[in-house]
Amino acid sequence: ARFLRRLKASASTLAMAAGGVELRTLDDARHDEGLTHDIDGASAARRRLVVPLRSPAAAAAIFWKLAADFTLFEHYLADEAGHAQDLPAAERALGTFDAFARAVLEHRPADCQVLICSDPGNVEDLSTRGHTRNPVAVLSFGEATLPAMRTVADVGAAALSLLGVAA
């Protein structure tokens, strides 16, 4: 009960739900039809959720199996670690995400654009619990030429542009 009380939906989860997008569930993760927020299942298991433990490479294979025209994977453990000013948690989260991102990119189909962006100004400065004024860090892999992105809104506009939708 203690862990379940602390679970809160993220802004992207709320936005997708409001837009009628079907979200993946823990049952999906248990059947290799979805991923846990922490990629490898370790954090979810610590919260006493029954989920499979998997390597970042296995998670990347599931990611590509499920990928569609637009696929969003939200990993917020680095953000949580930044707000908590917890360097060991930040290192664990970033290490797991790095391995996952490398595996995703290693198997990226040539016609796919992959954007990786951060929540701005948090984990890179553990001296504060709040957000800094740093720009959003964005990595783009693929053939598309995208404009400079400094804010989360810029990332959203770039994603819409990739999908051929006017912002």
Side-chain angles (χ1 to χ4, degrees), residues 79-150:
D79 185 63
E80 286 182 352
H83 287 300
Q85 298 175 294
D86 186 339
L87 180 59
E91 290 172 338
R92 277 191 311 273
L94 292 171
T96 300
F97 184 79
D98 179 66
F100 173 71
R102 288 173 187 272
V104 164
L105 295 172
E106 181 180 342
H107 299 289
R108 178 184 67 82
D111 63 342
C112 285
Q113 189 78 26
V114 174
L115 295 178
I116 299 173
C117 70
S118 72
D119 187 17
N122 180 257
V123 74
E124 78 279 6
D125 183 0
L126 297 181
S127 69
T128 178
R129 289 187 181 277
H131 289 121
T132 67
R133 296 188 185 274
N134 294 329
V136 172
V138 180
L139 299 173
S140 178
F141 301 88
E143 299 300 317
T145 302
L146 300 172
M149 293 173 265
R150 294 184 50 83

Side-chain angles (χ1 to χ4, degrees), residues 7-87:
L7 295 176
K8 296 179 185 173
S10 69
S12 358
T13 299
L14 293 173
M16 294 294 162
V21 175
E22 186 176 339
L23 302 175
R24 301 284 173 171
T25 67
L26 290 175
D27 280 337
D28 292 326
R30 290 180 194 109
H31 295 99
D32 292 342
E33 294 295 324
L35 297 172
T36 54
H37 71 286
D38 59 355
I39 300 168
D40 62 6
S43 174
R46 280 193 301 276
R47 290 180 181 241
R48 300 201 177 123
L49 299 172
V50 179
V51 295
L53 298 177
R54 57 174 57 100
S55 70
I62 292 169
F63 173 87
W64 282 119
K65 178 177 95 170
L66 302 172
D69 289 339
F70 177 81
T71 302
L72 172 71
F73 177 76
E74 180 179 33
H75 176 71
Y76 49 83
L77 291 184
D79 185 63
E80 286 182 352
H83 287 300
Q85 298 175 294
D86 186 339
L87 180 59

